[in-house]
Amino acid sequence: LLIIGILIIYFTYINKNAPIKNEIVTKADVEQILTQLSNNSLDEGDVFYNIKYSGFDLAGNRYTLRAKEAYNSKSKQELVDMKFVEAFFYFKDNTFLEVTSETGVYNNKTLDMKFETNVKAYYEGNELFAEKAEYLNLDSFLTISKNVKLNSEKGSIKADKLVFDIKNQQLNIASSKDNKINANIVLNEKRF
């Protein structure tokens, strides 16, 4: 037992002055972080990854907003620029709307949301494609614009702008090109 005790003490304190080689952050990572910090201007804010916002809009509908990357500026901290965005709106009538886009902006004070670039929306089997969508919380409107295409079981619509009144569950369709809307509607008609 004495020999085992001496060996334990010897191996415990033999490398006492040897440098510890455990690195939490590598030198390359430190250099990359310092380069990014030096390239940032004074107005740039924080960068976030895999963020999630959730809450209720003014109409009492629940929403969840996610993004893989998000940025805010020091001068306007209420605005959050996002990349690879997903939003889910859960309405009081037990339906939900899913909206995805490549970029977006979220105002964390007014709860307004903007979706841009390759916007896709899914609602009760209907698919919508556009380049821009904007949700205005105060007005309870969802405005979809730029190359709007809507596909559903009942047909398809191509228009310049769709305005969905969430509170009243109404859809307004607008067109600026010759005031024409391209629509294909499937009618179920019975012949006698």
Side-chain angles (χ1 to χ4, degrees):
L1 289 175
L2 184 61
I3 293 173
I4 292 173
I6 293 173
L7 288 174
I8 290 174
I9 292 172
Y10 175 76
F11 286 119
T12 301
Y13 294 105
I14 192 161
N15 291 330
K16 183 179 179 183
N17 295 330
I20 299 174
K21 294 185 180 182
N22 293 336
E23 290 183 2
I24 296 174
V25 180
T26 65
K27 289 181 182 180
D29 290 339
V30 171
E31 289 174 6
Q32 181 182 5
I33 291 169
L34 291 175
T35 303
Q36 287 178 349
L37 288 174
S38 67
N39 290 339
N40 289 342
S41 67
L42 294 176
D43 187 45
E44 289 191 27
D46 299 316
V47 178
F48 304 98
Y49 297 98
N50 298 320
I51 65 158
K52 178 180 176 182
Y53 291 101
S54 61
F56 291 91
D57 64 9
L58 294 176
N61 298 309
R62 188 170 56 95
Y63 71 90
T64 301
L65 180 67
R66 295 180 187 156
K68 289 187 179 180
E69 293 180 35
Y71 312 89
N72 70 346
S73 71
K74 290 181 182 178
S75 61
K76 294 183 180 182
Q77 290 189 352
E78 70 274 5
L79 297 179
V80 180
D81 293 314
M82 301 175 295
K83 290 184 178 180
F84 310 108
V85 184
E86 290 181 331
F88 300 94
F89 296 90
Y90 303 95
F91 301 115
K92 292 178 183 176
D93 63 354
N94 292 326
T95 61
F96 74 94
L97 169 69
E98 177 184 355
V99 180
T100 62
S101 69
E102 291 181 19
T103 60
V105 177
Y106 177 64
N107 187 323
N108 57 26
K109 287 189 179 178
T110 63
L111 308 179
D112 292 342
M113 301 172 204
K114 291 182 184 179
F115 306 94
E116 294 181 317
T117 312
N118 199 18
V119 177
K120 297 176 185 174
Y122 305 96
Y123 180 74
E124 291 193 333
N126 302 312
E127 296 178 321
L128 182 130
F129 304 97
E131 290 302 313
K132 184 177 181 182
E134 185 173 6
Y135 172 68
L136 300 175
N137 186 33
L138 184 61
D139 299 327
S140 194
F141 278 100
L142 179 62
T143 304
I144 300 131
S145 58
K146 294 186 180 178
N147 299 323
V148 179
K149 297 174 187 172
L150 176 66
N151 297 323
S152 76
E153 296 173 356
K154 296 179 182 179
S156 63
I157 296 175
K158 291 183 181 179
D160 292 325
K161 187 176 186 181
L162 299 177
V163 179
F164 184 61
D165 183 351
I166 295 173
K167 187 182 270 185
N168 298 322
Q169 297 287 319
Q170 292 179 348
L171 178 66
N172 294 321
I173 304 168
S175 178
S176 61
K177 296 179 184 176
D178 301 327
N179 294 327
K180 294 181 182 178
I181 297 169
N182 186 1
N184 295 320
I185 300 172
V186 177
L187 297 175
N188 292 330
E189 90 181 44
K190 295 180 182 179
R191 298 184 185 245
F192 294 100

